Amino acid sequence: MKLSPILLIGLSLQAGFTFAQQPASPKQKNQVVTETVKGTVIDKNTRLPLTGATIVISSSDGTKSVSTDAQGIFRLQQVPVGRQQLQVRMAGYKPEEFTELLITSGRENMVNVEMEPQINALTEAVVYANAGKQPLNQMAMTSGRSFSPEETNRYAGAFFDPARMAQSFPGVAAGGDDNEIIVRGNSPKSLQWRLEGIEIVNPNHFGAEGAAGGGISMLNTMVLGKSDFYTGGLAAEYSNATAGVFDLRFRKGNTDKREYTFNVGVLGVGATLEGPFKKGSDASYLISYRYSSLSLLEKVGVKVSDTGVPKYQDLSFNFVFPTKKAGTFSLFGIGGLGKLQQTAERNYEKWEERTDAQDLNLKFNAGSAGLKHQYIANDRLYFTNIVSMSLSRNSNSTDTLTRDYISSLYHKDKFTNTALRYAGTLNYRANSKNTIRAGLNASLLHYDLYALSYDTELTALKERINETGNTSTYDAFAQLKTVLNDKLTLNTGVHANYFALSKSWSIEPRLGLNWRVAADQTISFGTGLYNRLEPLVYYFAKSSDQTSLEPNKPLSPTKSAQAVIGYEKNLSRTLRFKTEIYYQHLYDVPVSTDSDINFSLLNVSDIAAIGTSNYRQLINKGTGKNYGIELTLEKSLSKGYYFMATTSFFDSKFKARNGKEYNTTFNTRYVGNILMGKEWTVGKSKNNLFGLNGKLIYAGGRKYSPVLEEESLRLDEEVIDQDRINTLTADPYVRVDFSSSYRVNRKKVSHLFILDIQNLLNRENTVGMHYNFSKRIIEPQKWTGIIPTINYRIEF
């Protein structure tokens, strides 16, 4: 089922590949293809444009240089395609360097640079390639890094998805068959997604209610700009997060000309359009749309599956409107529609499992849209205001058929969550050494939660939750970044949160320190208190034993105290070593009120637990801890190759109501990644680029609990031994990913072909022994095998 659509799409791409390989015309033969490189240079603290900054780009054909104009804009024409080196220098600022910057034809190449003032201008600054991977947020001191869309496209097994790309980073492990990730032993649901400075809903198709991931990402790297990813030690401005944070940014559309990108692949067929709203205007649009390839094949009569075919579509956009006096306005958003329908074959003699006799209708629709206004008052003050609306609707309806093909409802749920959010931030640069940032966040939440499922003991449908209402959460923060000298930078701050549902306050001091021991060595430290709102379903779900019908309204958010210390050493201009040691204490964790049931929200990744027979009301009496060490050796792309080797050793535990400590299911104890890639310039004029990338993951096995077979069969659900929670360990998780790419650069158009294969060796990794509802047996639960994808993109 997986291979047939790939072969069909591969055949459909043959015409495009043939076109790309056509010999050049006599005029183009052996001619170097060039393209324009342009962008802006701004002060990282004030956001003001920098006039007179020098941009130098080096290639095999020599160097070109230009200076920024009064708006901080630069433009370099006739730059040869391929990997080039770009440097940005200006008196009084730390130099910036982009090694192996990818220049492609067909569309102008945008490079936006944020420069940081240099306290001691007399000291010669050494430029390291890895410095470009420091977080964009100037307040971040530790446990963060920036990433580019080009990296997301390049990493093996990433599928153009930032979350899958992040699986290669230290402290991160795959959370399941989808793109969920485990950050430093925390549940995947603890991850927060942000876009343009404000929290958004889970931007993934087919994500379970309460989860932070899904089967297919809605994010399109053609729309993304350089963004940040954090694994801990968050600055005071970040709210509602106890683990990782994806702080995403959209790029701005081209303001000079209209450009188009079309792509077709296993994951979808789509188009990206950008350009100025009118000639000579600084206002621009950027919009991207994608539709499921498998659904299109089905529409034209190609049978791609005997069961259901996932159908989805998604849209991303960013409209930017600069004004002369009122600041810059932008309208941005991301959303998707997805559904999966499986209809049982009306021939009971072919039914081998229970699910063969079921009709399934699954839908997941989600989206976030916002209006952002940024105003730069002067060279010291700027502020940002954002208003956004988010909506997620997750529904599932399952009917069971008799041998007479009469259907009866077996399961039905519908979870609708709406959020109206505001985020306001003020940034004031008091002087060259002190920067103050403060802000307010507010989220007005509406929920409509309903779940109904069949209960074997009752031999009837049972209502798990039926709740509609409103609540809200409010945040305020203030932080001060102080450059003590040319070696020490300190960030102190405090964050306050109020959750209206539980009427609970949380005051959270935070601190970060960066000590530049030498030009090539840095020590960092971060600590603070944090909180995370759990999926709202858990605040209202009913106990399965019906002993209490009162909802869990007193529940407050889960809280965390963290500390992390890091050391970074640049071994050369392109090679660095980094290590971080961390400790996280979690408290006020919702756990079962029944001391005989060792349930904790630290041990689950979505809301599936409310449908089990041992689910009870929750109380904020649990704790947990995660601690470990991470090691990274990374070589940035230079001389045509790169590599990154990471390893993490950690421990992840939780305490239930009885006070005993247990492993979390995410406590794999160790995870190691080796990521590498090599590129070659090919073609008579060396205009084309061919690349190979690989990744090896070796991680400890997931923890799981012994299954009580008789009880599982009697209740027709998995029942585990409560006295031996997560005492068993699955086999180690081993996975090899591979990708290859071929880019063809022509004078006015470029073609890109990417073959990306996850689990190249088709290894059947196991999660552990689990009860199979469909077969009514206990068997190994396996991860997905090989997942090959192919993608073709044309840009002009």
Side-chain angles (χ1 to χ4, degrees):
M1 183 185 76
K2 294 176 182 175
L3 291 177
S4 58
I6 296 168
L7 293 175
L8 289 166
I9 292 174
L11 291 174
S12 69
L13 296 179
Q14 185 176 8
F17 185 79
T18 302
F19 169 75
Q21 293 299 316
Q22 291 293 326
S25 64
K27 292 183 179 181
Q28 293 178 331
K29 199 168 185 179
N30 297 329
Q31 183 179 4
V32 175
V33 177
T34 62
E35 189 51 89
T36 299
V37 178
K38 66 177 187 178
T40 58
V41 181
I42 64 173
D43 185 300
K44 192 170 186 176
N45 291 326
T46 66
R47 317 303 294 174
L48 285 169
L50 295 179
T51 304
T54 302
I55 295 88
V56 180
I57 193 162
S58 304
S59 67
S60 57
D61 290 350
T63 62
K64 292 178 178 289
S65 64
V66 70
S67 297
T68 55
D69 61 17
Q71 286 75 44
I73 298 172
F74 69 90
R75 187 181 185 91
L76 284 161
Q77 294 181 325
Q78 295 184 342
V79 178
V81 297
R83 296 285 180 181
Q84 315 294 0
Q85 185 182 52
L86 185 143
Q87 292 183 333
V88 184
R89 293 183 179 272
M90 185 170 182
Y93 287 85
K94 297 177 182 179
E96 297 286 339
E97 183 176 46
F98 299 82
T99 61
E100 302 291 326
L101 179 69
L102 179 60
I103 309 300
T104 64
S105 64
R107 57 196 309 274
E108 295 183 329
N109 298 266
M110 300 289 297
V111 181
N112 296 316
V113 184
E114 299 180 6
M115 302 193 74
E116 189 173 355
Q118 186 173 345
I119 299 301
N120 188 349
L122 298 178
T123 303
E124 180 66 22
V126 181
V127 183
Y128 295 99
N130 286 294
K133 295 179 181 178
Q134 296 300 316
L136 299 175
N137 189 337
Q138 61 167 318
M139 296 294 179
M141 297 287 111
T142 188
S143 297
R145 65 173 291 160
S146 64
F147 64 92
S148 68
E150 196 269 328
E151 286 180 280
T152 308
N153 295 342
R154 183 180 359 123
Y155 284 10
F159 295 169
F160 309 105
D161 180 356
R164 295 183 190 272
M165 176 205 64
Q167 292 177 9
S168 303
F169 294 160
V172 179
D177 281 333
D178 54 20
N179 65 358
E180 283 191 322
I181 57 176
I182 300 165
V183 179
R184 291 181 171 174
N186 287 279
S187 166
K189 66 178 172 57
S190 300
L191 177 76
Q192 186 200 95
W193 293 93
R194 288 163 58 99
L195 178 62
E196 290 295 314
I198 198 165
E199 184 176 355
I200 61 172
V201 295
N202 176 13
N204 294 283
H205 292 289
F206 307 111
E209 178 67 15
I216 301 168
S217 176
M218 297 177 191
L219 294 167
N220 189 330
T221 55
M222 289 301 301
V223 179
L224 281 179
K226 199 172 184 181
S227 304
D228 285 347
F229 175 69
Y230 299 94
T231 54
L234 301 172
E237 63 196 80
Y238 291 98
S239 61
N240 196 28
T242 54
V245 173
F246 270 107
D247 196 355
L248 304 174
R249 297 187 185 185
F250 277 167
R251 65 180 180 88
K252 182 181 178 181
N254 197 328
T255 57
D256 293 327
K257 71 171 188 176
R258 291 180 172 85
E259 296 177 333
Y260 310 92
T261 300
F262 296 97
N263 62 273
V264 56
V266 173
L267 297 179
V269 177
T272 302
L273 297 81
E274 63 179 290
F277 280 99
K278 65 179 181 179
K279 190 175 182 179
S281 170
D282 290 332
S284 66
Y285 63 87
L286 174 63
I287 184 168
S288 184
Y289 173 78
R290 180 180 60 171
Y291 193 87
S292 167
S293 297
L294 301 186
S295 180
L296 286 176
L297 289 173
E298 187 182 56
K299 288 180 181 295
V300 298
V302 178
K303 186 176 182 179
V304 296
S305 173
D306 293 330
T307 56
V309 174
K311 302 175 182 179
Y312 54 89
Q313 52 187 314
D314 46 61
L315 176 73
S316 302
F317 61 89
N318 190 26
F319 304 143
V320 181
F321 305 93
T323 65
K324 292 183 178 179
K325 295 183 179 180
T328 300
F329 295 85
S330 61
L331 181 65
F332 62 91
I334 181 173
L337 306 175
K339 64 180 179 179
L340 175 63
Q341 293 178 309
Q342 293 181 350
T343 304
E345 187 173 358
R346 265 51 177 177
N347 183 351
Y348 68 83
E349 293 182 352
K350 295 184 178 180
W351 294 348
E352 297 179 355
E353 300 181 20
R354 298 170 68 182
T355 52
D356 294 337
Q358 291 184 342
D359 291 338
L360 172 68
N361 188 357
L362 172 68
K363 293 182 179 179
F364 181 81
N365 304 326
S368 299
L371 177 64
K372 180 178 181 179
H373 174 234
Q374 185 174 84
Y375 181 77
I376 302 175
N378 51 49
D379 62 355
R380 292 181 179 271
L381 174 67
Y382 76 85
F383 57 83
T384 303
N385 289 284
I386 310 171
V387 178
S388 75
M389 174 69 75
S390 294
L391 170 68
S392 68
R393 180 174 289 118
N394 201 334
S395 65
N396 180 9
S397 178
T398 304
D399 294 330
T400 298
L401 301 180
T402 66
R403 289 197 171 189
D404 295 324
Y405 312 119
I406 299 174
S407 65
S408 60
L409 183 64
Y410 181 80
H411 177 89
K412 184 177 182 179
D413 60 43
K414 185 176 181 180
F415 305 108
T416 302
N417 293 280
T418 306
L420 176 63
R421 304 184 191 276
Y422 165 77
T425 303
L426 179 148
N427 197 95
Y428 178 68
R429 188 186 184 198
N431 51 48
S432 61
K433 293 187 176 183
N434 294 282
T435 301
I436 299 171
R437 184 176 294 175
L440 297 171
N441 297 327
S443 297
L444 306 181
L445 310 175
H446 175 76
Y447 49 86
D448 187 357
L449 313 171
Y450 179 77
L452 185 73
S453 61
Y454 186 80
D455 187 284
T456 303
E457 287 191 302
L458 296 176
T459 63
L461 291 171
K462 182 177 182 179
E463 189 174 83
R464 308 292 181 176
I465 185 172
N466 187 358
E467 196 76 27
T468 302
N470 301 282
T471 188
S472 54
T473 179
Y474 305 92
D475 298 272
F477 70 89
Q479 55 191 343
L480 170 65
K481 178 185 175 183
T482 302
V483 181
L484 301 174
N485 52 49
D486 59 352
K487 293 182 179 294
L488 285 172
T489 302
L490 177 67
N491 181 6
T492 56
V494 63
H495 185 105
N497 169 261
Y498 176 75
F499 180 43
L501 192 65
S502 59
K503 298 180 181 179
S504 59
W505 281 93
S506 178
I507 307 298
E508 302 162 356
R510 302 181 191 177
L511 181 145
L513 179 67
N514 195 287
W515 177 23
R516 190 183 179 191
V517 182
D520 59 351
Q521 298 179 63
T522 303
I523 293 176
S524 58
F525 174 75
T527 187
L529 302 181
Y530 308 85
N531 76 84
R532 172 72 173 176
L533 186 66
E534 299 290 351
L536 286 178
V537 169
Y538 283 117
Y539 292 78
F540 301 104
K542 302 174 182 177
S543 294
S544 295
D545 62 353
Q546 300 295 321
T547 56
S548 174
L549 299 179
E550 292 297 320
N552 296 330
K553 285 188 177 180
L555 279 181
S556 63
T558 299
K559 297 181 178 63
S560 168
Q562 300 179 23
V564 57
I565 185 169
Y567 171 76
E568 183 173 341
K569 165 73 172 178
N570 287 294
L571 304 175
S572 69
R573 290 185 69 253
T574 60
L575 182 66
R576 71 162 178 169
F577 167 78
K578 184 176 182 179
T579 182
E580 287 192 337
I581 301 173
Y582 63 89
Y583 184 88
Q584 179 183 27
H585 171 68
L586 296 123
Y587 58 103
D588 285 355
V589 177
V591 294
S592 177
T593 53
D594 188 341
S595 58
D596 293 329
I597 297 175
N598 299 315
F599 176 81
S600 169
L601 286 191
L602 299 182
N603 202 40
V604 297
S605 57
D606 52 38
I607 58 93
I610 70 167
T612 61
S613 61
N614 64 359
Y615 181 77
R616 302 292 185 269
Q617 282 191 290
L618 304 179
I619 187 172
N620 293 105
K621 294 292 185 179
T623 61
K625 63 181 179 183
N626 302 306
Y627 60 91
I629 182 172
E630 302 162 359
L631 304 167
T632 302
L633 182 65
E634 180 176 10
K635 179 190 178 298
S636 295
L637 179 61
S638 63
K639 298 181 180 179
Y641 75 99
Y642 70 95
F643 67 81
M644 179 167 61
T646 68
T647 185
S648 304
F649 300 94
F650 64 96
D651 198 16
S652 177
K653 299 289 179 63
F654 75 90
K655 281 186 180 180
R657 183 69 186 278
N658 63 10
K660 295 181 180 180
E661 190 173 70
Y662 303 90
N663 291 307
T664 69
T665 187
F666 315 111
N667 190 17
T668 62
R669 303 301 300 271
Y670 62 89
V671 58
N673 298 284
I674 298 177
L675 181 77
M676 62 183 64
K678 172 66 177 174
E679 290 181 344
W680 296 267
T681 54
V682 295
K684 293 183 178 180
S685 299
K686 302 298 183 181
N687 291 322
N688 304 333
L689 197 64
F690 176 69
L692 294 176
N693 304 277
K695 180 171 68 175
L696 170 65
I697 302 176
Y698 190 90
R702 295 281 285 271
K703 301 297 183 183
Y704 69 100
S705 308
V707 179
L708 300 177
E709 186 172 5
E710 290 187 7
E711 277 294 285
S712 297
L713 290 171
R714 184 179 71 85
L715 296 175
D716 202 21
E717 67 176 62
E718 181 173 289
V719 180
I720 60 176
D721 187 341
Q722 291 292 326
D723 294 327
R724 295 191 292 162
I725 297 290
N726 292 335
T727 54
L728 303 178
T729 305
D731 293 334
Y733 178 84
V734 182
R735 195 181 87 198
V736 175
D737 298 338
F738 167 82
S739 72
S740 65
S741 63
Y742 184 59
R743 180 177 287 277
V744 180
N745 289 302
R746 293 299 177 83
K747 188 174 182 180
K748 295 183 178 181
V749 64
S750 69
H751 308 267
L752 176 63
F753 301 86
I754 295 181
L755 172 67
D756 200 354
I757 304 175
Q758 181 175 296
N759 199 356
L760 176 68
L761 303 181
N762 198 26
R763 176 183 168 89
E764 292 188 344
N765 292 290
T766 60
V767 184
M769 301 296 292
H770 291 269
Y771 175 73
N772 186 319
F773 155 83
S774 183
K775 297 179 180 179
R776 287 180 61 83
I777 62 173
I778 297 174
E779 65 177 7
Q781 180 180 341
K782 298 183 180 296
W783 300 73
T784 301
I786 186 171
I787 306 178
T789 65
I790 189 170
N791 190 80
Y792 166 69
R793 178 184 297 172
I794 181 172
E795 303 172 352
F796 57 95

